[in-house]
Amino acid sequence: QQQQQQQQQQQQRKSKYKQAKKEDFTWDFDVNDPWSVLGISRSSSKDEVSKAFRREMLKHHPDLQSQASEKEKRRATERSKLISDAYRKVKASFKK
């Protein structure tokens, strides 16, 4: 019986994970343009890029959304992934 409960819990976790993956969020920026994800212009300096990254992560990090619902936390998680990815891409463009 205990093994059955563990299997059910695993199924529920997998179901939640799949649900989060299926959710499509609409954003007020172009997800394919890392500069717009960070809310900065293409002429921004390295320092401005770093500040924008910190500002956006503080605003949208899921761990800082203590009063948020589960859906809002999933949205914040997706947003923070987009922000991190955008920062990585913009930072790499400075190295070229």
Side-chain angles (χ1 to χ4, degrees):
Q1 187 177 7
Q2 188 178 12
Q3 189 176 13
Q4 235 178 358
Q5 284 178 334
Q6 288 175 340
Q7 286 175 343
Q8 284 177 340
Q9 287 174 346
Q10 280 181 330
Q11 290 282 340
Q12 287 173 345
R13 274 185 246 132
K14 286 180 184 178
S15 175
K16 277 186 180 179
Y17 178 75
K18 285 181 182 178
Q19 180 185 2
K21 282 290 183 187
K22 286 181 186 175
E23 263 179 321
D24 284 327
F25 297 106
T26 54
W27 307 106
D28 59 348
F29 54 84
D30 180 8
V31 295
N32 298 315
D33 179 18
W35 301 93
S36 73
V37 173
L38 294 173
I40 54 176
S41 69
R42 291 184 179 275
S43 61
S44 299
S45 68
K46 287 182 181 181
D47 189 48
E48 291 171 323
V49 170
S50 294
K51 285 179 183 177
F53 171 73
R54 283 190 210 100
R55 179 187 66 237
E56 292 298 308
M57 284 304 283
L58 283 172
K59 202 184 312 180
H60 300 289
H61 197 282
D63 290 345
L64 300 174
Q65 311 289 329
S66 60
Q67 302 296 322
S69 67
E70 280 302 310
K71 186 173 182 177
E72 290 168 332
K73 284 184 181 182
R74 285 194 303 270
R75 183 177 170 84
T77 300
E78 284 303 310
R79 180 78 183 253
S80 63
K81 287 177 187 176
L82 290 171
I83 294 166
S84 296
D85 189 44
Y87 180 61
R88 201 175 313 112
K89 288 176 182 176
V90 171
K91 209 171 156 190
S93 74
F94 280 112
K95 292 181 182 178
K96 291 180 181 179

